[in-house]
Amino acid sequence: MPTRRSRRCARRSGGGATQTTHHFNGMSPFHHREPGVAGAGLICPELATELIADGIHVHPDAVKLLFDVKGARGVCVITDAVYCAGLPDGEYGEATMKDGQVWLKDGSSLAGSSLTMLQALRNVVRFTGLPLAEVLPSLTEVPARQIGVSGRKGKLEAGMDADFLVLDSALELQSTYVRGRQVYAKKAADSPIG
């Protein structure tokens, strides 16, 4: 039977919402008299909170707060990466990238990010102080659940697709596997395997 809190969360979250978009970023600020969407994401257990963990869109302390409140299974880490991610600083259409930050040319707003998922993982570990194993679901299980593919993605178990990375102790990429097949190995001249 729904509790008063779950009914209140359902009303606040639109009655069927399952996650917030770009939590904290682009939302009205949380206020103790008007918690708004940011507050609903924090207190409603049925809402996953989508997080751009670049330290630019959301301050590192707010990243830690979100993990402290929601736990890793309540946070869906994303990149919000745009087409110039991985390219050198410069102008790209209506956007300018400088020092990894992507802004509209007029400087009025962020226009995406240059974040990779691997850097997002490193950031979350650093910002939260949590161990890798504890934050990993936010980058694997939660995104798979949220897009409806948790029956084959997001975990390393029998019957799953076996998409995974091998990292060293500094969280540097060593190799990449897709459906159990190695497609990249750092030791093999840093290029895809043919």
Side-chain angles (χ1 to χ4, degrees), residues 32 37 47 52 58 62 75 87 106 117 132 140-141 143-144 154 157 162 170:
H32 67 283
V37 176
L47 289 177
I52 306 167
V58 178
V75 179
L87 298 175
D106 67 7
M117 284 303 283
L132 174 64
T140 56
E141 293 177 43
E157 292 179 353

Side-chain angles (χ1 to χ4, degrees), residues 112-155:
S113 85
S114 63
L115 184 66
T116 65
M117 284 303 283
L118 186 51
Q119 187 58 49
L121 173 65
R122 291 182 195 117
N123 289 348
V124 169
V125 169
R126 189 173 81 242
F127 298 164
T128 65
L130 296 170
L132 174 64
E134 195 168 327
V135 302
L136 199 54
S138 294
L139 293 95
T140 56
E141 293 177 43
V142 176
R145 179 188 74 213
Q146 292 305 110
I147 64 169
V149 296
S150 59
R152 59 187 181 90
K153 303 279 186 193
K155 294 181 184 178

Side-chain angles (χ1 to χ4, degrees), residues 24-114:
F24 294 128
N25 185 255
M27 296 178 173
S28 57
F30 178 86
H31 189 277
H32 67 283
R33 289 194 186 100
E34 182 55 48
V37 176
L42 291 171
I43 66 168
C44 297
E46 66 273 20
L47 289 177
T49 50
E50 190 182 86
L51 175 67
I52 306 167
D54 60 0
I56 300 161
H57 283 78
V58 178
H59 190 278
D61 290 341
V63 171
K64 181 176 182 346
L65 169 70
L66 196 58
F67 273 83
D68 286 351
V69 172
K70 296 294 286 189
R73 285 182 170 72
V75 179
C76 183
V77 173
I78 64 165
T79 65
D80 195 36
V82 292
Y83 57 93
C84 56
L87 298 175
D89 285 353
E91 293 190 8
Y92 297 93
E94 296 300 312
T96 299
M97 184 167 65
K98 184 174 182 192
D99 299 325
Q101 297 184 24
V102 184
W103 291 85
L104 292 178
K105 279 189 181 175
D106 67 7
S108 64
S109 177
L110 288 168
S113 85
S114 63

